[in-house]
Amino acid sequence: MDFQTAVFYFLSTILVVASLRVITARNPVHAALYLVLSFFTAGGVWMLLRAEFLAIALVLVYVGAVMVLFLFVVMMLDINIERLREGFWANLVPGLIVAGLMLAEMFAVLGAKYFSAGAAPAPEAPAMDYSNTKELGRLIYTEYVYPFELASVILLVAIIAAIALTMRKRKDTKFQEPAKQIAVRREDRVRLVSMPAEKE
Amino acid sequence: MNFPLPDFFPASAEIFVLVMACVVLLADLFKSERQGWLPYLLTLATLAGALAIQVGTAGADTTLTFSGMFVDDRLSDVLKSCLYITVFAVVVYSRDYLMARGLERGEYYLLVLFATLGMQVMISANHFLTLYLGLELLSLAIYALVALDRESARSTEAAMKYFVLGALASGLLLYGMSMIYGATGTLEISAIARKLSDPATNMDVLRFGLVFLVAGLAFKIGVVPFHMWIPDVYHGAPTAITLLIGSAPKLAGFSMAIRLLVDGLPTLAVEWQQMLMMLAVLSIALGNVVAIAQTNVKRMLAYSTISHMGFMLLGLVSGVIELRASGDIQLSYAFGSAMFYTIAYVLMSAAAFGVLLLLTRAGVEAETLDDLKGLNRRSPWFAAVLMMVMFSMAGIPFFIGFFAKLAVLQAVVAAGYLYTAVFAVMLSLIGAFFYLRVVKLMYFDEPLDTAPLVASSEMRALLSVNALAIAVIGLMPQSLLTLCATALGQAMK
C-alpha cells in the first residue's frame, strides 16, 4: 500500500464515521459539526483526485458559509429533534430491508460488470502544469456559458420568490416619513369653511 | 485561447424576455403609486414582442448554438409562439382576480415572465443540462406563485406538496439523465441519438436510465401513477395560478417528451412506448372516472387534465420512428397528432379556467359546481363559451377537441392498437358525463347567485376570441395539423 492509498483509507474512514454520526447524533448541533467534518474530509478526498478547485470550493462554500448558517438556524430554532426522530429505530429494520432488496435488485439487473472500476478506464494523468481552476473557468465562460447564465437566472428567481413570500409591510409600525412631512401643503391641513353670518 | 462567440440570433426571443423581465423588476421598484398598471402592460408588451421576434426570426433551418446546447427549429418556433399567446391570455385573465385579492403585485408578473423563460429554454433544449435548468426555472417560479397567497392555508399546503413532490421528480429525472450520461458519455441530445447506433454503447444501463427518465417526465406532466399532486395543487392554488399551471407548461412538457425520448433515444422507442402506453391507459381510465365524483370544478378539471395528458401520450405511443440510411429520422404522423392534442388542450384549458375567473369577484370564489348553476341567466354568451369548451373537452364534433381526439385515435388504430383505441373511446364517453353535467347546470338550473359578472372589457374580449378559436379551428383543423406535422418532421432532420 503506497502513501496515497493509505491517505485515502484514512480520510475515507473519517468520512464514513462522521457521516454516520450526522444521522445518529442526538444533539442537532453535534450533527451539524459532524457534517462540517465530513465535508472537510470529502474535500481531502477530492484533493487526492487532483480536483483541488472543487475541494477548496467545498470547504469555502459549504463549511465556511452554508454550515455556519445552518448552525445558527439549528441553535436559534431550538428544534426538538428527539420528537422528530421518534420511531427512528423502530423503522430502521424495515427500512434497511427495503433498501437492501432494492439494492440487490439493482445489482441483479446491472451487475458489477458495468459499474466496476474496470468498466470505465481511468483518465490519463494530466500534465504537471495543468490547472483545474483554469480549465473550469475556461469551460464555464465559453462552452457552458448558456447553462451558467441560466443558473444565475434561477438564483435571481430564488431571491424574488423568497422576498415575495416573506416580505410583508407591517401596518402597525409607527414611523415618520420626512418626505411627506416636508411636502405637506396648507390645503392638506387647513380647510376653510365658509359659513353664513349668524344673526342674534 | 480562442473561442468563437456563440450565435445569439436564434436565442433572441429568450434574451428579449430576460432583459424585459429585468426591466419589469426595476420598473416595479421605481413606479409611482398612480402607475400600478405599469408591470401589467410591460409584461403584455414583453410577450407580444417575444412573439413578434419569434415569428420574425423563424427560419426553415435547424440552427444549433451555444456549443450545441440550444436548438432553434420549426418545432420550437411553433411551440414557443403558442406559449407566448397562452401566457398573454393567462396574464389578461388573471388581473382582475389578483387585484381583488391583493395579489396583483410586481412579483406575480416577474415570476410569470421567468416561468415563460424557463419554458422557452425547455422547448429549445438540445442538452440534458439546459433542459433540466429550464425545468427548474419553470418549477421554482411556479412553486412560489402557488404560495403567493400567504393568508390561505390551503395554498401554502398545495405549494408545499408541489415543492416536495416536484423535487422528488427532479431527482428521478436527474438520476435517469446521469445513467444515460454514464452509458453514452455525453449530455447533448443529438449526440446521444448518434451514440445509440454505436455497438460499444451499453444498452442495459441506458434502459435503466430510461425508466427513471420516463418516471420523472410522467411526474412533471402529471399522468397516473405520478398524478397525486395534480388535484391538490389545482385545487389549492389561487384560480389565476391554476390557470397558469394548467395551460402553458403542458406545451413545455410535450416538448420535453419529444426532446428526451424522440430526439434523444429514438431507437429505444420499443421500450419507452411500452412504458408510455401503460401510463396513458391508466391516466385515461382514472382521470375520466374519478372526475365524475368531484364537486369542485377545479378538481374536476384537474382529473380531466390527467385524462387529456394520457390521450396526448397515446399519440406518442403510436408514433413510428424510422431511421433512414442517410441518418435522418422519419417520423410518422402520430407525433404531429400528439402535438395538435397538446395545443388544443391548452386552448381549452385556458378558456375553462378563464370562465371560472370571470365568475369570481372580490370575496367570492367560483369553485364548486353550484357556482355554475344558471350561468345562462346571468350571461348567455359566457355560458355559451363554457358550453363550447365543455363540448370540445368531451370530444363532441365539431370543436377542436373532437379533431384532436380523432387525430390521435387514427394514429392509434394505424399503429395496430385497436383495442386501446376502443378503450379510449369508451372512457371518453364515460368522461363526457361530467362535461355535460356542467352544461346541464348552466342551462337548466336556477342560479344561486344572481349578481352580474364583473370583468374588464379586455378579458371579455380575449375570452371570446379564445372560445371562437376553439370553434373555428374545430371547423378547419387541417392547417394546424399540417403545421404540427411539418414542424415535427423538420425538427428531426
Side-chain angles (χ1 to χ4, degrees):
Chain A
M1 193 154 59
D2 59 349
F3 179 66
Q4 268 199 1
T5 323
V7 173
F8 170 75
Y9 279 117
F10 174 69
L11 289 176
S12 306
T13 316
I14 300 181
L15 182 56
V16 170
V17 171
S19 311
L20 274 177
R21 290 298 290 150
V22 173
I23 52 169
T24 52
R26 292 200 169 270
N27 188 332
V29 178
H30 291 176
L33 288 173
Y34 276 115
L35 196 54
V36 169
L37 179 63
S38 58
F39 277 144
F40 197 78
T41 329
V45 176
W46 283 2
M47 200 74 103
L48 275 180
L49 290 170
R50 303 185 202 185
E52 72 280 353
F53 177 77
L54 286 179
I56 293 168
L58 184 76
V59 171
L60 276 184
V61 177
Y62 277 88
V63 177
V66 175
M67 282 318 294
V68 170
L69 203 68
F70 231 82
L71 270 178
F72 268 115
V73 173
V74 168
M75 282 196 269
M76 285 213 261
L77 286 186
D78 192 25
I79 307 161
N80 189 349
I81 286 290
E82 283 304 307
R83 266 235 329 275
L84 287 178
R85 280 221 308 242
E86 263 172 28
F88 174 78
W89 293 107
N91 291 331
L92 185 67
V93 177
L96 278 182
I97 292 173
V98 171
L101 278 178
M102 277 171 67
L103 209 65
E105 281 171 359
M106 276 159 70
F107 264 111
V109 174
L110 299 168
K113 69 177 172 184
Y114 301 129
F115 292 104
S116 64
E124 280 175 42
M128 285 311 281
D129 59 345
Y130 180 85
S131 161
N132 253 317
T133 317
K134 202 171 155 187
E135 277 303 300
L136 214 60
R138 193 183 64 80
L139 278 178
I140 279 183
Y141 290 104
T142 56
E143 206 174 315
Y144 287 88
V145 70
Y146 180 57
F148 180 67
E149 292 297 325
L150 283 176
S152 71
V153 176
I154 290 179
L155 288 180
L156 178 62
V157 169
I159 299 174
I160 294 171
I163 293 175
L165 294 184
T166 54
M167 199 186 79
R168 56 186 75 214
K169 282 211 179 82
R170 291 179 56 179
K171 290 188 193 79
D172 52 345
T173 46
K174 294 182 175 59
F175 62 95
Q176 295 178 325
E177 277 192 45
K180 270 193 177 168
Q181 288 178 327
I182 292 170
V184 81
R185 289 167 304 168
R186 195 186 68 158
E187 293 81 50
D188 298 337
R189 296 280 165 87
V190 183
R191 190 161 57 99
L192 290 179
V193 186
S194 68
M195 293 181 74
E198 280 180 37
K199 284 180 196 160
E200 289 272 338
Chain B
M1 187 176 76
N2 279 317
F3 174 68
L5 208 61
D7 183 8
F8 294 113
F9 183 71
S12 33
E14 277 81 1
I15 296 171
F16 177 73
V17 170
L18 176 59
V19 170
M20 285 302 286
C22 296
V23 170
V24 174
L25 182 67
L26 291 176
D28 182 50
L29 191 61
F30 290 111
K31 71 174 195 279
S32 70
E33 301 245 330
R34 281 186 302 277
Q35 292 166 328
W37 41 265
L38 193 64
Y40 173 67
L41 284 189
L42 275 175
T43 306
L44 292 187
T46 307
L47 293 165
L51 179 64
I53 293 174
Q54 197 72 50
V55 174
T57 60
D61 300 333
T62 301
T63 331
L64 289 177
T65 183
F66 293 115
S67 324
M69 291 183 189
F70 183 97
V71 60
D72 179 33
D73 51 13
R74 184 73 65 74
L75 174 68
S76 67
D77 286 333
V78 174
L79 281 178
K80 278 191 229 168
S81 305
C82 294
L83 169 69
Y84 306 134
I85 297 169
T86 312
V87 179
F88 189 95
V90 166
V91 171
V92 171
Y93 294 167
S94 305
R95 187 164 190 240
D96 286 342
Y97 177 92
L98 294 169
M99 274 173 110
R101 281 153 192 78
L103 301 174
E104 205 255 357
R105 288 172 298 177
E107 289 90 349
Y108 167 75
Y109 296 110
L110 280 172
L111 291 171
V112 167
L113 280 180
F114 281 117
T116 311
L117 182 66
M119 290 187 263
Q120 286 174 278
V121 170
M122 281 169 78
I123 290 173
S124 271
N126 190 39
H127 199 271
F128 279 176
L129 191 57
T130 47
L131 188 74
Y132 175 71
L133 286 172
L135 179 66
E136 283 304 290
L137 188 54
L138 166 68
S139 308
L140 279 176
I142 287 186
Y143 301 146
L145 280 172
V146 172
L148 202 61
D149 188 4
R150 283 186 312 224
E151 312 299 322
S152 155
R154 227 176 49 194
S155 295
T156 316
E157 188 195 324
M160 200 63 206
K161 263 185 196 153
Y162 193 16
F163 181 65
V164 173
L165 289 179
L168 188 69
S170 295
L172 286 177
L173 198 66
L174 273 183
Y175 192 57
M177 284 177 178
S178 69
M179 282 291 156
I180 289 172
Y181 179 68
T184 59
T186 176
L187 284 171
E188 194 181 323
I189 289 172
S190 35
I192 291 173
R194 280 197 297 276
K195 274 273 185 179
L196 287 179
S197 49
D198 182 356
T201 307
N202 187 336
M203 284 295 167
D204 287 336
V205 178
L206 259 182
R207 287 190 194 107
F208 189 70
L210 178 68
V211 176
F212 287 94
L213 215 58
V214 169
L217 183 73
F219 229 114
K220 292 293 177 189
I221 59 174
V223 284
V224 180
F226 303 100
H227 66 286
M228 294 81 76
W229 59 274
I230 293 240
D232 289 337
V233 172
Y234 273 44
H235 183 193
T239 312
I241 309 302
T242 313
L243 164 69
L244 177 69
I245 303 172
S247 54
K250 307 293 175 200
L251 294 168
F254 170 77
S255 140
M256 189 161 113
I258 288 287
R259 300 279 183 217
L260 281 178
L261 301 178
V262 182
D263 276 7
L265 304 163
T267 52
L268 284 183
V270 186
E271 261 111 75
W272 54 255
Q273 284 185 334
Q274 267 178 358
M275 301 179 203
L276 292 189
M277 175 68 109
M278 283 193 283
L279 299 176
V281 168
L282 287 174
S283 305
I284 294 174
L286 184 127
N288 279 319
V289 173
V290 180
I292 295 173
Q294 305 303 320
T295 52
N296 183 297
V297 186
K298 279 158 85 179
R299 279 191 101 82
M300 190 191 91
L301 287 173
Y303 282 103
S304 129
T305 302
I306 296 173
S307 74
H308 282 293
M309 284 298 111
F311 242 100
M312 186 274 278
L313 286 186
L314 273 188
L316 296 182
V317 167
S318 32
V320 185
I321 303 170
E322 285 173 43
L323 276 173
R324 288 278 174 82
S326 57
D328 282 356
I329 298 172
Q330 183 68 33
L331 288 183
S332 75
Y333 156 86
F335 294 102
S337 74
M339 183 168 166
F340 182 77
Y341 201 100
T342 313
I343 295 175
Y345 176 71
V346 168
L347 258 181
M348 298 186 289
S349 159
F353 285 109
V355 174
L356 278 191
L357 285 173
L358 189 79
L359 294 176
T360 63
R361 56 181 186 275
V364 178
E365 291 282 343
E367 287 199 334
T368 60
L369 286 172
D370 288 343
D371 294 321
L372 294 174
K373 276 185 181 167
L375 181 60
N376 185 39
R377 304 273 178 81
R378 297 166 70 192
S379 164
W381 168 237
F382 286 105
V385 165
L386 193 55
M387 183 181 72
M388 281 195 263
V389 175
M390 289 298 140
F391 278 177
S392 178
M393 280 192 172
I396 291 171
F398 291 86
F399 295 103
I400 188 171
F402 168 71
F403 285 101
K405 279 202 166 63
L406 185 68
V408 168
L409 287 174
Q410 271 174 347
V412 173
V413 172
Y417 301 117
L418 185 64
Y419 289 110
T420 314
V422 172
F423 173 80
V425 170
M426 296 298 286
L427 278 151
S428 298
L429 282 177
I430 296 174
F433 165 75
F434 64 84
Y435 294 121
L436 294 181
R437 180 172 59 187
V438 170
V439 176
K440 180 237 164 201
L441 289 175
M442 287 193 303
Y443 282 90
F444 300 109
D445 282 23
E446 291 299 314
L448 296 179
D449 173 14
T450 47
L453 303 180
V454 278
S456 63
S457 50
E458 73 251 31
M459 175 176 175
R460 285 164 185 267
L462 199 60
L463 195 54
S464 308
V465 171
N466 190 336
L468 288 177
I470 293 175
V472 172
I473 301 177
L475 289 177
M476 7 182 199
Q478 207 52 48
S479 52
L480 186 58
L481 263 171
T482 322
L483 185 70
C484 293
T486 50
L488 270 168
Q490 189 259 350
M492 301 302 138
K493 290 280 155 61

